[in-house]
Amino acid sequence: MTQVLLCGAMVVTLSMGIRHGFGLWLQPITQAQGWTRETFSFALAIQNLSWGIFGIFAGMVADRFGAARVLIGGSILYGLGLAGMALSTTPLLFTLTTGVVLGAAQAGTTYAVVYGVIGRQIDPAKRSWAMGVAAAAGSFGQFLMVPVEGFLISGLGWQQALITLSLFVLLIAPLSFGLREPGFASGTAPKRDQSILQALREAFKYPSFQLLMAGYFVCGFQVVFIGVHMPSYLKDKGLSPQVASYALALIGLFNVFGTYIAGTLGQRLAKRKILATIYLGRAAAIAVFLWVPISPMSVYIFASVMGLLWLSTVPPTNATVAQIFGVAHLSMLGGFVFFSHQIGSFMGVWLGGLLYDRTGSYDIVWYISIALGIFAAIVNLPVREAPIARTPQPQGA
């Protein structure tokens, strides 16, 4: 268990840590290339959509052949995507590398794949806690990597900073060997009671699965809009770039605690109530942030509160999926739930850039985020967490 948690945590630290800092490149790249914020935002929106689409297939492959093979391929794609992000000279090439390639890389190196291993290798009594540990590692990666990325940009320039990260991310490949699963040693999955199609039909007919997907859409919308556009929002308000870097780092630091607490509470309390509280808390935090006069201190307080709520939805959401449907197809089902998250991410980051270019302000998207937070709190309350009652089915392939 220790090896799985340690290697899984380090993989998520690298993958999510680098990804959380992409907002720092918005102004350097758009200013150097003469592009609009919508151009940059659209590429990251495609990245989130690509992540969601490829995440489904990465989950299927991980469930079929084991996570290690997927992680190795994902790390190589990550390095190529970062290098392509640095060297792209047209909006189309930038969208293909930053959007499609990096999205596919993140699909193979983040939560759905790692959580599949955790779900299968760790006792159910500790599963929610273990997922909280992995999510906390991703948050620590944000706390660790965002200031490093800011330092690399200021010290090396935005292009060389991306090239440096493209080499660093290849460390995921050797870490993947710590996530090899004994049952996949022969290159084939253990026998299961359900085929892929049977598992999908069962999940999509189950109302609670649909509600979890609806809530996760909101999660993606909120966190990616804030993560990508808050640095520019703060600069527009007259605050220094360092304030944005510290704010993103604080989100990562406090989310270490938030995700761990959410995972731990998921072993004791109803996960649907935990999720509803998180989404309602986000809506309240955003409303207060917009209401009070903006200053470095108000930004740091907002970042700290949002950090507690940032990715704390991840452990209870994935643990609920495992609790309802079991772990045989967990990476795949988690990938479908995460696809909904990424559709929300696409909308959040793209609308942020689009509406800013149209109105000169991010206000409308902030208000949408508040309304969606209330919606997500409501739809998570009816979720049924008990294991699904199954009738005997023919053995799946």
Side-chain angles (χ1 to χ4, degrees):
M1 182 179 81
T2 301
Q3 175 182 301
V4 169
L5 275 181
L6 181 61
C7 291
M10 292 178 70
V11 166
V12 175
T13 294
L14 282 171
S15 183
M16 293 298 295
I18 291 172
R19 183 256 180 190
H20 277 306
F22 283 158
L24 299 178
W25 272 272
L26 189 155
Q27 293 200 357
I29 288 179
T30 55
Q31 290 172 1
Q33 304 285 19
W35 298 339
T36 65
R37 293 188 189 184
E38 185 182 354
T39 299
F40 185 93
S41 299
F42 182 73
L44 286 196
I46 291 295
Q47 179 188 112
N48 284 284
L49 199 58
S50 172
W51 185 358
I53 293 170
F54 283 104
I56 295 170
F57 298 102
M60 290 179 181
V61 175
D63 287 336
R64 178 69 175 81
F65 298 104
R69 292 174 173 84
V70 177
L71 288 167
I72 292 171
S75 69
I76 295 171
L77 281 179
Y78 216 139
L80 292 173
L82 288 169
M85 183 177 177
L87 301 175
S88 297
T89 55
T90 66
L92 176 60
L93 189 57
F94 185 74
T95 299
L96 290 175
T97 56
T98 306
V100 179
V101 177
L102 279 178
Q106 290 160 3
T109 56
T110 50
Y111 292 116
V113 174
V114 173
Y115 275 0
V117 181
I118 290 175
R120 288 186 288 268
Q121 298 298 311
I122 293 182
D123 187 271
K126 296 183 178 179
R127 185 182 294 146
S128 179
W129 167 81
M131 289 180 175
V133 171
S139 304
F140 178 75
Q142 180 177 354
F143 171 70
L144 175 68
M145 292 303 299
V146 169
V148 169
E149 290 171 69
F151 173 77
L152 289 175
I153 291 171
S154 62
L156 302 177
W158 66 268
Q159 286 181 307
Q160 291 302 317
L162 287 168
I163 297 296
T164 301
L165 290 176
S166 74
L167 299 175
F168 195 63
V169 80
L170 296 177
L171 290 172
I172 289 175
L175 288 170
S176 69
F177 289 98
L179 293 171
R180 289 179 295 182
E181 300 175 74
F184 295 86
S186 63
T188 58
K191 291 185 178 180
R192 297 187 170 96
D193 295 331
Q194 285 182 311
S195 68
I196 289 175
L197 290 178
Q198 288 170 338
L200 288 177
R201 280 197 296 265
E202 177 184 74
F204 278 94
K205 287 180 180 178
Y206 200 64
S208 292
F209 189 74
Q210 299 167 14
L211 294 175
L212 288 169
M213 290 182 69
Y216 231 25
F217 170 91
V218 175
C219 180
F221 186 101
Q222 293 173 327
V223 300
V224 177
F225 164 67
I226 294 172
V228 172
H229 288 287
M230 191 165 74
S232 297
Y233 173 77
L234 297 179
K235 188 172 182 180
D236 291 342
K237 296 294 185 180
L239 300 179
S240 70
Q242 286 74 22
V243 173
S245 294
Y246 294 149
L248 292 177
L250 281 171
I251 289 174
L253 175 62
F254 277 85
N255 198 38
V256 173
F257 304 105
T259 49
Y260 181 80
I261 292 169
T264 302
L265 289 177
Q267 299 292 148
R268 303 180 177 90
L269 304 176
K271 288 177 272 294
R272 60 188 178 86
K273 294 182 179 178
I274 295 172
L275 288 167
T277 301
I278 291 169
Y279 287 119
L280 193 60
R282 285 186 188 177
I286 295 171
V288 172
F289 177 59
L290 297 179
W291 176 64
V292 302
I294 194 164
S295 68
M297 184 56 64
S298 72
V299 172
Y300 298 149
I301 293 173
F302 171 70
S304 301
V305 174
M306 283 301 296
L308 290 172
L309 308 169
W310 192 251
L311 294 179
S312 52
T313 58
V314 175
T317 299
N318 285 272
T320 301
V321 173
Q323 188 170 314
I324 295 172
F325 301 104
V327 298
H329 296 282
L330 178 57
S331 290
M332 178 189 67
L333 294 179
F336 272 99
V337 175
F338 190 68
F339 178 57
S340 177
H341 181 284
Q342 294 310 93
I343 294 174
S345 300
F346 175 92
M347 295 301 297
V349 69
W350 176 61
L351 276 180
L354 177 67
L355 292 177
Y356 179 87
D357 287 340
R358 298 293 188 273
T359 68
S361 169
Y362 288 112
D363 288 350
I364 295 175
V365 191
W366 283 117
Y367 298 143
I368 292 173
S369 295
I370 295 171
L372 286 176
I374 297 171
F375 165 79
I378 294 171
V379 300
N380 271 278
L381 287 175
V383 170
R384 298 180 62 184
E385 302 175 29
I388 192 169
R390 292 192 176 109
T391 56
Q393 300 185 56
Q395 183 172 317

